[in-house]
Amino acid sequence: CKIHYLHWVTHPRAFSSEDMDGDEEGLLNDVEVNGSWTPQEKALHEARLKAKAKRRVRRTSSRDSTRESLSDNGADLGGDPTSPKGKTNAGDRKSRMGKGRGLPKKGGAGGKGVWGAAGMVYEMEEPDAKDPNYDESSQGDTVYATVTPELDERELEKTVSPIVQEYFEHGDTKEVQMLLEGLNLGHNKYAVSSLAVSLSLEGKASHRELTSRLLSDMVGKVLTEKDMARAFDKMLADLPDLILDTPEAPQMLGQFIARAIADHALPMGFLDCYKGKVDCDHARAALDRAAVLLSMKTKMVRLDNVWGVGGGLRPVKHLIKEMNLLLKEYLISGEVSEAERCLRDLEVPHFHHELVYEAVVMVLESKGESAISMMVKLLKAFWETGLITLDQMNRGFQRVYDELPEINLDVPHAHTIMESFVDLCYQESVITKQLRDACPSSRGRKRFVSEGDGGTIKQ
């Protein structure tokens, strides 16, 4: 022991408290009593004693818990551990730590291939259409229906705008109704009226006339009077925005309202709902315009002329009168742009041959060379801008050629004037060579030695 002690003193870390027995510990205590330990050695010794005490307590507690679990399970604590009764079953699923009541999991309803606890009754479940074993024929009669999704505001505008633009070309309200019935407009169907009116405000007078007819024909079929009133309410509220693109929007909207009320597309009391309740100046101007137009009629009749009679709906005599007035104003003012604007406003491109005819006849009946040069300038401008097409130009001149014998009775020198005018138009590339050669002549169409030199007649 003394040899071990001396070795521990010189090498204290080579020994642990477990490597010493009771005599060695007693010797160490005697040495401690004699006071031969240094403070560092004394602290190390106390730490080892505490660690050893903790290990003893841990071993004791684990043995006690094992005994308690075995006693709870009915095991013989004093039996032979090597006997089969003293050993635990390796396949036993019960807790070996003494936790739980030893019952099976989920009351016996869990595990692979288990359909549930004994005595459990399942209710009938509704068939799932996504089930791979779903049988559609066994579920009764199947009804197939085409479902059209409801259009939102943006999709409605994108879909209806081409329909309205095409309607401005053909003017068939029944086709528009048929196309709208195939759409699921939903609660936004009132927007069809406001969209059509907004597009016509940016168009021509004939477009506005067609729009008024469309609104009148759609009421009772596609739209109701409430839908129409809601559409005009929206347009009155949007007037500050509409006036940016169309300064005359308040007056035009007032005319639309008056026409709709006269056509029974709007309720009779539509204007009365706004009396004393309008704060916007533009809306007030539109309502005042509608009230004035309605008060001008002693009887509630259709305001057919609220947009004027436009395009091919005008009588032929009226168009001829307008074209004559246009040419006379041009000969006085000489403004080609104004004449072009007036011709476009007539909106009769299929009737432009009448303008060519009236212009040539006016040249034949005029006195002086100024009328000839001005008419050539006007026809050239219309030709270059494409306002008068080749077909309309040829038809206008051909009509004069056919009536030249009758014109010659009133204008004796009509053939001579006609020849010079035709040659001048050909030089300015207004007419073709074939049309120039087709010009009749009182002398069998004898040509000059040189076209336009005014020389001797060729024998």
Side-chain angles (χ1 to χ4, degrees):
C1 291
K2 293 181 179 179
I3 295 173
H4 282 289
Y5 168 72
L6 293 175
H7 184 66
W8 177 83
V9 172
T10 55
H11 302 283
R13 298 194 180 187
F15 292 86
S16 62
S17 59
E18 296 177 355
D19 297 333
M20 301 180 186
D21 53 11
D23 296 337
E24 292 175 348
E25 291 182 1
L27 179 59
L28 292 176
N29 293 331
D30 295 340
V31 176
E32 180 182 1
V33 173
N34 296 331
S36 60
W37 279 9
T38 61
Q40 293 81 1
E41 296 172 350
K42 184 177 180 181
L44 180 60
H45 176 63
E46 292 177 354
R48 289 179 176 175
L49 292 178
K50 291 180 181 180
K52 185 175 182 180
K54 289 182 180 180
R55 284 195 293 273
R56 289 177 178 174
V57 173
R58 193 178 298 116
R59 291 197 198 100
T60 305
S61 61
S62 62
R63 294 193 190 99
D64 295 340
S65 62
T66 304
R67 293 192 187 96
E68 291 176 0
S69 62
L70 292 176
S71 62
D72 292 339
N73 295 332
D76 187 7
L77 296 178
D80 186 5
T82 60
S83 64
K85 294 182 179 181
K87 295 182 179 179
T88 57
N89 189 6
D92 188 7
R93 295 186 178 182
K94 298 179 181 179
S95 176
R96 299 176 184 174
M97 301 298 295
K99 298 180 181 179
R101 296 180 298 167
L103 299 177
K105 294 182 179 179
K106 300 182 181 179
K112 185 176 180 181
V114 178
W115 289 81
M120 182 179 294
V121 179
Y122 295 94
E123 297 179 356
M124 291 296 295
E125 295 183 359
E126 293 293 334
D128 187 4
K130 297 182 180 180
D131 189 349
N133 298 325
Y134 177 77
D135 187 6
E136 185 178 357
S137 60
S138 63
Q139 305 303 324
D141 297 335
T142 303
V143 179
Y144 296 93
T146 302
V147 179
T148 304
E150 182 178 345
L151 299 177
D152 57 14
E153 187 175 355
R154 179 178 297 181
E155 292 177 349
L156 186 143
E157 181 178 358
K158 185 178 179 180
T159 306
V160 176
S161 293
I163 298 176
V164 177
Q165 295 288 357
E166 186 178 356
Y167 165 71
F168 290 158
E169 299 296 332
H170 58 72
D172 189 359
T173 59
K174 293 183 179 180
E175 182 177 350
V176 177
Q177 295 175 16
M178 180 184 65
L179 294 175
L180 293 178
E181 289 175 354
L183 302 175
N184 186 5
L185 301 177
H187 62 280
N188 291 325
K189 61 181 180 180
Y190 74 94
V192 175
S193 303
S194 59
L195 181 60
V197 173
S198 299
L199 292 175
S200 65
L201 292 179
E202 302 174 359
K204 306 175 183 178
S206 59
H207 294 170
R208 292 187 281 275
E209 174 65 25
L210 291 173
T211 302
S212 294
R213 294 184 180 182
L214 179 63
L215 299 182
S216 176
D217 292 345
M218 285 196 304
V219 172
K221 299 176 181 179
V222 180
L223 304 174
T224 62
E225 289 188 357
K226 292 183 178 180
D227 295 331
M228 199 68 66
R230 184 179 178 186
F232 278 99
D233 291 339
K234 181 178 181 298
M235 285 184 286
L236 287 172
D238 294 342
L239 267 179
D241 296 332
L242 295 175
I243 203 172
L244 298 177
D245 298 329
T246 309
E248 300 84 5
Q251 290 74 21
M252 292 182 181
L253 187 58
Q255 293 175 205
F256 268 115
I257 294 174
R259 176 70 177 270
I261 293 176
D263 292 345
H264 304 286
L266 275 177
M268 298 297 295
F270 180 79
L271 296 179
D272 297 336
C273 298
Y274 283 94
K275 287 184 178 181
K277 301 179 182 179
V278 181
D279 297 330
C280 179
D281 295 337
H282 303 304
R284 188 181 298 108
L287 295 173
D288 291 343
R289 175 66 175 169
V292 169
L293 291 175
L294 292 173
S295 63
M296 292 173 60
K297 300 292 181 179
T298 57
K299 297 181 180 180
M300 187 58 65
V301 295
R302 294 172 60 93
L303 298 175
D304 292 332
N305 296 328
V306 68
W307 302 115
V309 182
L313 302 176
R314 301 184 182 185
V316 175
K317 292 183 179 180
H318 178 76
L319 293 175
I320 295 175
K321 183 178 179 181
E322 290 290 335
M323 290 182 178
N324 272 310
L325 182 61
L326 182 156
L327 294 172
K328 290 179 181 179
E329 290 181 354
Y330 166 71
L331 291 177
I332 296 174
S333 63
E335 295 181 2
V336 178
S337 59
E338 181 65 18
E340 181 179 352
R341 185 191 65 80
C342 293
L343 184 59
R344 291 183 185 275
D345 290 343
L346 292 178
E347 301 179 16
V348 284
H350 59 281
F351 202 61
H352 285 175
H353 62 85
E354 180 66 27
L355 178 72
V356 178
Y357 172 82
E358 295 294 338
V360 176
V361 172
M362 195 171 293
V363 168
L364 297 178
E365 296 177 352
S366 64
K367 297 179 180 179
E369 297 294 333
S370 60
I372 297 177
S373 60
M374 291 183 68
M375 285 302 178
V376 171
K377 179 182 178 182
L378 181 64
L379 293 178
K380 182 180 179 180
F382 289 166
W383 170 259
E384 290 178 348
T385 57
L387 187 59
I388 297 181
T389 61
L390 177 62
D391 177 67
Q392 297 294 316
M393 189 73 72
N394 291 340
R395 288 181 62 184
F397 273 90
Q398 191 63 47
R399 286 178 58 192
V400 179
Y401 292 168
D402 298 338
E403 299 180 9
L404 194 57
E406 299 178 3
I407 297 175
N408 193 40
L409 299 178
D410 299 329
V411 183
H413 301 286
H415 286 86
T416 305
I417 298 173
M418 188 66 188
E419 288 180 358
S420 61
F421 181 73
V422 168
D423 292 337
L424 188 57
C425 289
Y426 176 72
Q427 293 175 7
E428 297 294 334
S429 302
V430 177
I431 61 175
T432 61
K433 184 176 183 299
Q434 291 80 5
L435 188 61
R436 183 201 65 175
D437 296 340
C439 179
S441 175
S442 60
R443 291 181 286 252
R445 187 58 181 158
K446 294 181 180 180
R447 306 301 299 164
F448 291 105
V449 175
S450 177
E451 290 285 347
D453 59 354
T456 308
I457 298 176
K458 186 177 180 179
Q459 299 298 328

